[in-house]
Amino acid sequence: MSLGISDDQVELADSLRKWAASLGPVEAVRAAEGDTAARFAEVWAAVEEMGVASIAVPESAGGGGGTVLDQAVALEACAHELVPGGLLGAAVGSLLTGRPGRYGVQVHPGGAVWDGGTADEQLLLDTGAGDPVAEPGADLSTRHARLPGGEAGEADERRRLVAVTLAAAEAAGVARWCLETAVDYAKVREQFGQKIGAFQAIKHLCAEMLETAESVTAAAWDAAAAAVPVDATVEGAGSLEQWAFAVDVAQATCFDGAVEVAKGCIQVLGGIGFTWEHDAHLYLRRAISLRALVGSADAAAERLTAAAVAGVRRRVAVDLGGRDEAVRPEVRETVERIAALEPDARRAALVDEGYLTPHWPAPYGLGADPTLQIVIDQELDRAGVVRPDLVIAGWAVPTILSHGTDAQRERFVLPSLLGELVWCQLFSEPGSGSDLASLRTRAVRVDGGWRLTGQKVWTSVAERADWAICLARTDPDAPQHKGITYFLVDMRSPGIEVRPLREITGEALFNEVFLDDVFVPDDCVVAEPGDGWRLARTTLANERVAMASARLTKSVERAVEIAATRDLGPVERVQVGRQVALATVCALLGVRTTLRALGGHGPGAESSVAKLLGVRSRQDSSELVVRLQGDALALLGTITRDADDPLAADLWEQLNTRCLSIAGGTTQILRNVAGERILGLPR
């Protein structure tokens, strides 16, 4: 997905990409090779006429009157087409001065002058220097400049924030082009008798590029969305502090990310990608140059650690555009009434009001649209009311609502919401793992129902569950996906044996479940026999939309706590900051999904890669927490999540998170799915 989310920004990006492509930008870049004085005159004249570099300049000063985010969307679109010349410097300079122009901008004292070789006006920090001298650098599509001498001036923080914000947008455009180019090639290039995109190695590489590109896009979007206009009066330091935090997340994420995606593109292209004739190296050069211009990602990570230790967290406000005004007073009144109850009485009240699952249809929810869902979330959060977790019931009940009979809904839905029924899931088997279609548990038709025999594994809470959702094969002669039926199984039925399964933490959270001729009546079959595979993948059409948040995860907060209380070295502080950045990006992906839903659109790629990135974040951060505590690990006693020794609890968390890349589909399987269903790669 591109950087813009609103319909207007998506339309702006689409139109600018088409316009930019019509200028023949890559041809202009190639024609200017070796020309240090190249001004890319024809392309730049069109850019000026279009006003691309001054979109965020007030209309009264000759600009477009847009936002910094609008400007970022435009830069992403133009970078996607590799528009040459001084666009980035002009956009940065126009924002800083509040008037359009061709600017060369020195962002760091003693550093290069961004686009100084194509500028009419220079915004310099160094003093006593001569005129900037254009240099043909790594990026053939630009002409940055060096200063021949003089004294380095003082740093300008606002200038840095503007520059990194807009450079991150260009990095997002570069990453997007590289991803699309690699995927398009993988769909048509044949080797060994088939499209290379069907090879798992290529599929995984493209999926990893997707993860990185979405991270770059989310971080660049947030930096631009958080930007404080140069000519605006900042109410206190909070807005600038939030922008600085978002910019450091972008600096720690976007530029390394764009380089990695560009490298991945060349890898997928193979030999043709290594040639001068292919455009891929031009995009790699742009990515490398951007990374060099903005400065060290490690320095940004260190600043994130310092900010997090000081209590700064990214707070993303979701603008509901006034759509909440009609519903908020009633929601607030209802929530305050629930909050006034004793804690034990709140669950029933939440269920009665439809606030426990507002996205479910009435009478069990409200059939709430995204706006109402978010307002309810916000008001519950404000009042300190926490919804109870439905756990497996959150998967079982929607299937019953969508596909069950009236009798099944009456029997199971309300008791499950009230917590009177506990559910477990009997899907996975020792020999099938993520490949549910190969399951072997069989169900044989008998008078009045079915007899189930088989073995299930990795079943949470089976030892105390009242009911289970279970997949079993009812037609052994049908194709794998066709002969499976969806059953509701009473866990107190004769023939069920539950055996605890001890995990690497030393605890037994999972179970093996053995089914020995277990009777399930016909009224506990959901839908029709053979519909099980379809039902196993069901979700309600009215999807849950979560309140936007950018909170750090448990282990990242623990790492920040260690950074605040121990004398960590620079390398360790960088490692903490990088985990702060990754956790923030994961949360931003959720925010973008929420905003997309508010705009009436289905989930984009963000929602699909969020699990992959979230797993990486939780595993890496929990491992870092243990590593930061040195050799005390060698002398550790009992390992439990509730241990008095914090290190014991930290190690338990590290060990426990290893399941995250396995449960619910392994990381490798999910990358196959992302490659095929999002990127359209062949099976």
Side-chain angles (χ1 to χ4, degrees), residues 410-617:
E410 183 176 354
R411 180 179 182 184
F412 293 111
V413 177
L414 186 58
S416 298
L417 289 175
L418 292 172
E420 297 168 359
L421 295 181
V422 175
W423 290 82
C424 66
Q425 177 180 273
L426 302 177
F427 281 12
S428 295
E429 297 186 1
S432 60
S434 298
D435 183 14
L436 289 179
S438 68
L439 61 84
R440 297 180 180 180
T441 296
R442 67 182 186 276
V444 178
R445 168 72 79 176
V446 296
D447 185 28
W450 302 78
R451 291 281 181 182
L452 274 60
T453 301
Q455 179 184 354
K456 300 292 184 176
V457 73
W458 318 125
T459 306
S460 303
V461 304
E463 76 283 357
R464 56 187 176 87
D466 303 296
W467 285 83
I469 50 177
C470 179
L471 294 180
R473 189 167 297 284
T474 49
D475 186 351
D477 298 323
Q480 278 192 331
H481 294 82
K482 300 293 185 181
I484 297 171
T485 299
Y486 196 106
F487 294 96
L488 308 178
V489 177
D490 185 344
M491 289 296 289
R492 306 292 183 265
S493 301
I496 294 180
E497 180 184 0
V498 178
R499 297 180 188 172
L501 191 63
R502 197 177 185 199
E503 295 99 44
I504 63 174
T505 61
E507 298 181 0
L509 301 178
F510 295 138
N511 301 274
E512 293 179 289
V513 178
F514 296 86
L515 305 166
D516 184 11
D517 205 30
V518 176
F519 178 71
V520 178
D522 282 326
D523 63 5
C524 285
V525 173
V526 183
E528 299 296 327
D531 283 343
W533 180 258
R534 177 173 63 90
L535 267 60
R537 300 172 60 184
T538 195
T539 56
L540 288 182
N542 192 3
E543 294 279 359
R544 172 84 172 96
V545 177
M547 181 178 67
S549 170
R551 296 172 180 168
L552 301 180
T553 56
K554 173 183 176 181
S555 290
V556 178
E557 290 287 7
R558 176 75 174 117
V560 171
E561 177 188 344
I562 292 172
T565 56
R566 300 193 181 198
D567 185 19
L568 300 182
V571 172
E572 293 171 319
R573 292 183 68 82
V574 166
Q575 292 171 340
V576 173
R578 286 192 177 275
Q579 289 306 314
V580 170
L582 178 56
T584 302
V585 166
C586 290
L588 291 172
L589 292 170
V591 173
R592 283 171 60 82
T593 297
T594 298
L595 292 173
R596 206 176 295 283
L598 286 170
H601 303 290
E606 301 101 333
S607 59
S608 300
V609 304
K611 180 182 188 297
L612 290 165
L613 289 172
V615 166
R616 187 201 308 170
S617 173

Side-chain angles (χ1 to χ4, degrees), residues 42 49 67 117 164 183 204 233 259 273 277 304 331 406 410 414 558 562 574 580 604 611 616-617 664:
E42 291 184 10
E49 182 180 358
T67 65
V164 176
V183 170
H204 283 197
T233 300
V259 171
E277 285 74 17
L304 285 173
V331 171
D406 289 340
E410 183 176 354
L414 186 58
R558 176 75 174 117
I562 292 172
V574 166
V580 170
K611 180 182 188 297
R616 187 201 308 170
S617 173

